[in-house]
Amino acid sequence: MLSPSLAQEIAGDTSAVIGFNVLITDAEGMVIGSGDSSRVGSFHEASVEVVRTQEPATHNASQAQQLRGVRPGVTLPLVAGGQAVGTVGITGTPAQVRRFGLLVKRQTEILLRESVMLRSRLLSERAAEKLLADIASYDPQVVEGDFLVFRAAELGFDLRLQRIAVAVEVTVPEGTTRRRGGGPTQDVALVRTELLRTVREVFADPQDIVAGAAPGWIGVLHRVPARRRTESLVADCRRVVDVIAAQDGLTARVGIGEPASSVGGLHDSYQDACDALRLGGRSAGDSPVQLIADLRVHQVLAAVNQSARNRLVDLTTADLRAQPDWPALRDTITAWCESGFNLVRASAALHIHRNTVVYRMNKIEQLTGRPLREHRTTMALYLACLADQMGSG
């Protein structure tokens, strides 16, 4: 429980502060840390009895001579969880060092507890990362879903509860400097702990699984409370984006999957969340939070091979793409379809006057020779526009 490296660090630092040599042993009386490095690895006989009784002991010069590896001073038990895990000794005449004994003991026990907590937290984080990775790559032909349910239960997570996968991508904006304490921009991997803490502050339910998925990526398997609306989850994701931007000067984007309550469903939900990030818009005006439910058509198109997408674009929009205002015409077709073929909603989505929408639609009809109110034609144009926006990605 008390590592030699930690013991040596504590003993060396404390010895330098109080001016007396501090010695730390394990539960068997072996010296694992000392301000006098020559004593590391030796046996300290007095510690055996101190560990057994959990009572401090003092030894003057004559008493110390009768014990192996002991010098005059005071020896106190180090107790963690009600059990003695070692001792801390201070070398000097008992009258001189007794006043330091309780202080050094308490400080060492505090540092020991913090070390144990940190180690436990790191082990929990690694276990959560492994669980998320196994769900992300889940193949029922390779791993039994019940095995992952059991492993999750050991970590305190019930995978049978309804959850939604959330994927967070964090990047350093080009041409910016991340400043904290006057420091320069840092790689995302270096602020991983801060980012995990930020996400966990928002997704704070004990059943929320939050783990690093890759450098710059954080995955969340968020437990969905009863009657919680999607809008509430989107608001939480926007808060994550805003907090990361405010605290760290980084840019965050979020993808949201669909609800699931099985290992296979969670696998699909996480893949959907990653697809939402990949397929969602990246221009300045687009939302940093993307739901796969809004991108199902994009997802299907992405599954089609590049050659087929290119043929769709070339054969359907050739005359339109030759126009200098092709991006505006493409946006008009997209807005018209996504607004339910409603002129007012389309103009609002494009932030232009309805007459401008009418002008563009007339131009599109003249160039294609097809009316946009013929929905089969319009849907073909819509898919071609989406494929063009996706490019070769």
Side-chain angles (χ1 to χ4, degrees):
M1 181 177 285
L2 183 57
S3 69
S5 58
L6 177 63
Q8 182 57 43
E9 182 179 356
I10 294 173
D13 291 348
T14 310
S15 298
V17 170
I18 68 175
F20 294 94
N21 183 59
V22 173
L23 175 145
I24 297 176
T25 76
D26 61 17
E28 283 71 46
M30 298 302 297
V31 178
I32 56 175
S34 175
D36 177 3
S37 58
S38 66
R39 299 186 69 182
V40 175
S42 64
F43 178 66
H44 190 264
E45 186 176 356
S47 293
V48 176
E49 184 65 12
V50 171
V51 168
R52 187 185 70 80
T53 62
Q54 294 192 24
E55 294 290 337
T58 58
H59 304 89
N60 56 32
S62 61
Q63 292 171 324
Q65 286 181 347
Q66 301 175 29
L67 298 171
R68 179 180 165 190
V70 178
R71 295 179 184 176
V74 59
T75 305
L76 304 99
L78 293 175
V79 180
Q83 180 181 0
V85 297
T87 68
V88 58
I90 309 176
T91 302
T93 61
Q96 286 180 307
V97 299
R98 187 179 289 112
R99 59 197 173 100
F100 294 109
L102 187 58
L103 177 63
V104 173
K105 166 184 162 68
R106 286 181 176 172
Q107 185 63 28
T108 304
E109 288 176 343
I110 289 171
L111 293 175
L112 175 59
R113 283 197 299 271
E114 290 179 347
S115 174
V116 170
M117 290 174 61
L118 177 60
R119 187 180 301 115
S120 175
R121 186 165 64 249
L122 289 175
L123 289 174
S124 295
E125 285 187 1
R126 288 173 186 155
E129 287 176 8
K130 182 67 166 60
L131 178 63
L132 180 66
D134 287 345
I135 290 173
S137 60
Y138 172 68
D139 182 346
Q141 302 299 320
V142 178
V143 180
E144 288 284 345
D146 288 344
F147 174 69
L148 294 182
V149 171
F150 174 77
R151 268 192 37 214
E154 288 185 317
L155 299 175
F157 302 119
D158 185 354
L159 293 186
R160 297 167 300 180
L161 298 175
Q162 189 174 69
R163 300 170 184 272
I164 291 181
V166 175
V168 183
E169 179 191 34
V170 182
T171 56
V172 178
E174 293 184 10
T176 63
T177 301
R178 177 185 184 271
R179 298 196 174 275
R180 173 163 286 188
T185 297
Q186 297 188 33
D187 186 88
V188 171
L190 299 180
V191 293
R192 177 176 176 277
T193 300
E194 297 175 36
L195 294 173
L196 283 170
R197 183 169 57 248
T198 296
V199 176
R200 287 192 179 112
E201 286 174 355
V202 176
F203 294 101
D205 189 297
Q207 283 293 323
D208 285 345
I209 303 173
V210 181
W217 281 73
I218 296 173
V220 181
L221 299 180
H222 169 58
R223 185 183 77 86
V224 183
R227 297 183 298 278
R228 188 182 193 197
R229 297 174 61 86
T230 303
E231 291 82 354
S232 178
L233 175 58
V234 171
D236 284 345
C237 291
R238 288 184 182 277
R239 186 148 55 96
V240 168
V241 171
D242 292 342
V243 171
I244 289 175
Q247 290 185 347
D248 300 298
L250 302 171
T251 297
R253 299 173 59 248
V254 180
I256 301 175
E258 299 274 17
S261 55
S262 67
V263 173
L266 287 172
H267 165 80
D268 292 340
S269 182
Y270 185 73
Q271 297 304 319
D272 281 347
C274 294
D275 281 351
L277 270 179
R278 180 169 59 90
L279 298 169
R282 293 173 180 260
S283 64
D286 287 320
S287 170
V289 179
Q290 300 285 340
L291 292 91
I292 193 61
D294 298 332
L295 296 165
R296 286 299 185 191
V297 176
H298 302 68
Q299 191 179 39
V300 170
L301 272 176
V304 176
N305 68 68
Q306 185 64 47
S307 175
R309 294 208 306 267
N310 289 343
R311 280 179 56 80
L312 173 66
V313 174
D314 292 341
L315 296 175
T316 308
T317 65
D319 292 332
L320 296 175
R321 292 172 69 222
Q323 302 301 309
D325 59 345
W326 159 237
L329 299 178
R330 182 184 61 194
D331 291 347
T332 302
I333 295 169
T334 303
W336 171 250
C337 294
E338 293 181 352
S339 299
F341 312 110
N342 182 285
L343 185 60
V344 174
R345 289 202 294 267
S347 62
L350 292 168
H351 306 292
I352 58 177
H353 194 275
R354 65 190 302 275
N355 289 344
T356 305
V357 177
V358 172
Y359 166 78
R360 291 180 183 176
M361 290 176 64
N362 288 334
K363 182 175 181 178
I364 292 167
E365 290 178 341
Q366 290 173 4
L367 289 169
T368 61
R370 293 281 189 85
L372 284 178
R373 294 189 182 278
E374 183 181 291
H375 291 168
R376 177 180 289 185
T377 298
T378 307
M379 291 308 299
L381 279 171
Y382 173 63
L383 294 175
C385 288
L386 294 185
D388 185 70
Q389 287 175 329
M390 292 167 61
S392 60

